[in-house]
Amino acid sequence: MFHLFNRRGGCPCCDPEFASRREVLKAGIGVLAGTALLSESAVAATLPSVRGLNAERYGTEDSFNGVYFRDGKYDREALHKLDWVFRDLSAAEVTPMDPRLFDVLSSVATRLEATEPFTISSGYRTPEHNASNARRSRAVSTVSLHMSGMAADFRLQGRDGYGVARLAAQMQMGGVGYYRQGFVHLDCGPPRRW
Ligand SMILES: [Zn+2]
């Protein structure tokens, strides 16, 4: 089950428990870091050799629909295009997104056999933008993975958001949030849900 506590809008994105684990990781303590690497390689082994994504940015004309991974590596030009789609709109700032986020989105779309685009409402967030959101809503984490280019909020056209979130949670590829407004949050951090 997902907890629909986000009544005032916005996106919590990271729960407090994960926030403290993230601090541990940043401190460089090896046990958790080793666990993360193991799970990453296990996930990577299940990913297809050619990976594509269909995504558009809400409120803009910006979109990407194509392959971003082939021949054993990420396509740099495709990643640049995706970074633009997932940029911080309000701060007009682009950052290199973590490509594992695209793997998560791509895997969910594949599992759903979805051909419709992800309509991205939030991707990268500058620390200033995230802090502003956090001041407006206590539900927004001050250590959101959006600030690390590891998270996206979206709707998938023609699909029920709750169903998308439930499937994504079953896939255990990262964090999954479902919001009352029908938005889904996915990230490439440790598997968790809210
Ligand atoms: Zn989010």
Side-chain angles (χ1 to χ4, degrees):
M1 286 295 287
F2 295 92
H3 302 285
L4 295 173
F5 61 84
N6 186 29
R7 292 180 185 169
R8 287 183 293 173
C11 168
C13 303
C14 296
D15 57 32
E17 180 193 354
F18 177 64
S20 60
R21 286 167 63 195
R22 185 169 160 76
E23 290 304 315
V24 170
L25 279 172
K26 280 202 298 195
I29 294 174
V31 176
L32 271 177
T35 305
L37 284 173
L38 275 177
S39 68
E40 277 169 22
S41 59
V43 167
T46 67
L47 292 169
S49 56
V50 177
R51 303 168 204 165
L53 193 59
N54 187 3
E56 63 180 21
R57 187 56 184 264
Y58 178 77
T60 76
E61 300 288 312
D62 304 319
S63 63
F64 176 90
N65 186 10
V67 171
Y68 67 89
F69 184 100
R70 61 158 65 91
D71 300 329
K73 58 179 185 290
Y74 292 99
D75 181 315
R76 188 180 294 265
E77 191 178 333
L79 291 186
H80 282 317
K81 290 175 181 171
L82 282 164
D83 291 342
W84 179 252
V85 174
F86 285 73
R87 71 191 183 279
D88 187 322
L89 278 183
S90 64
E93 198 169 313
V94 186
T95 199
M97 300 293 289
D98 188 324
R100 293 173 301 174
L101 173 66
F102 305 138
D103 291 338
V104 172
L105 292 168
S106 177
S107 298
V108 169
T110 299
R111 185 72 74 88
L112 287 165
E113 299 182 350
T115 55
E116 311 89 344
F118 289 99
T119 302
I120 307 298
S121 55
S122 181
Y124 171 59
R125 277 186 216 143
T126 63
E128 295 76 17
H129 179 194
N130 196 74
S132 167
N133 283 9
R135 280 194 294 274
R136 285 201 302 271
S137 170
R138 285 194 307 173
V140 175
S141 168
T142 55
V143 292
S144 165
L145 289 184
H146 286 275
M147 291 191 295
S148 305
M150 295 171 67
D153 303 336
F154 63 87
R155 283 193 167 111
L156 186 56
Q157 288 182 21
R159 303 292 179 136
D160 167 58
Y162 189 83
V164 173
R166 191 171 52 190
L167 176 91
Q170 287 167 359
M171 292 172 71
Q172 294 274 305
M173 291 185 73
V176 183
Y178 173 71
Y179 307 119
R180 189 175 294 274
Q181 303 93 331
F183 287 96
V184 178
H185 164 109
L186 289 182
D187 64 58
C188 55
R192 64 211 191 286
R193 68 168 73 180
W194 60 88

